[in-house]
Amino acid sequence: QVQLVESGGGLVQFGGSLRLSCAASGSIVRIDDMGWYRQAPGKQRELVAGITTGGTANYADSVKGRFTISRDNTKNTVYLQMNSLKPEDTAVYYCNADAVPTGWPPKWNQYWGQGTLVTVSS
């Protein structure tokens, strides 16, 4: 199996910073795109940042200029540096990855982390 394990969430005051980490482990042949989603209570899960294997990143307009996504392919890990946090950033943040597990035939699957809670006080 492929597992995504997240860390770095917590409580931070308005304007503060947090860095989220997500490490993929298990029987992985290949990982392609990775990203971060978030879901606030009563709202749909939304994509906040994505990154390709080559390092090309895209961001939701709401976080552009404040968040930075990066990855370390040698560690199968993706990061989300969050600066200038606002109360509206409060949500459960989920790591996502497209990966091929071991086995035959090879197939791409989408995997999710368990989520880590980010709370920004106001």
Side-chain angles (χ1 to χ4, degrees):
Q1 296 182 353
V2 176
Q3 298 88 33
L4 303 180
V5 179
E6 301 157 333
S7 62
L11 175 65
V12 65
Q13 62 266 42
F14 175 81
S17 298
L18 286 173
R19 191 181 78 153
L20 307 183
S21 299
C22 173
S25 63
S27 302
I28 303 171
V29 175
R30 181 175 177 177
I31 297 179
D32 195 44
D33 294 349
M34 303 185 79
W36 290 94
Y37 291 71
R38 68 185 181 188
Q39 187 169 24
K43 297 183 179 180
Q44 281 190 297
R45 186 175 298 187
E46 63 175 347
L47 175 66
V48 298
I51 187 168
T52 68
T53 301
T56 300
N58 287 286
Y59 301 91
D61 289 340
S62 59
V63 307
K64 194 172 298 182
R66 300 187 297 120
F67 291 10
T68 302
I69 189 171
S70 61
R71 65 190 292 169
D72 184 342
N73 292 333
T74 66
K75 299 179 179 179
N76 289 334
T77 300
V78 63
Y79 307 92
L80 186 67
Q81 178 67 47
M82 304 185 294
N83 299 324
S84 302
L85 284 163
K86 306 174 181 179
E88 49 263 46
D89 295 318
T90 296
V92 177
Y93 284 71
Y94 296 91
C95 177
N96 173 267
D98 296 325
V100 178
T102 58
W104 190 265
K107 293 183 178 180
W108 287 100
N109 293 294
Q110 188 176 70
Y111 297 91
W112 294 90
Q114 79 286 353
T116 184
L117 178 63
V118 172
T119 303
V120 185
S121 62
S122 62

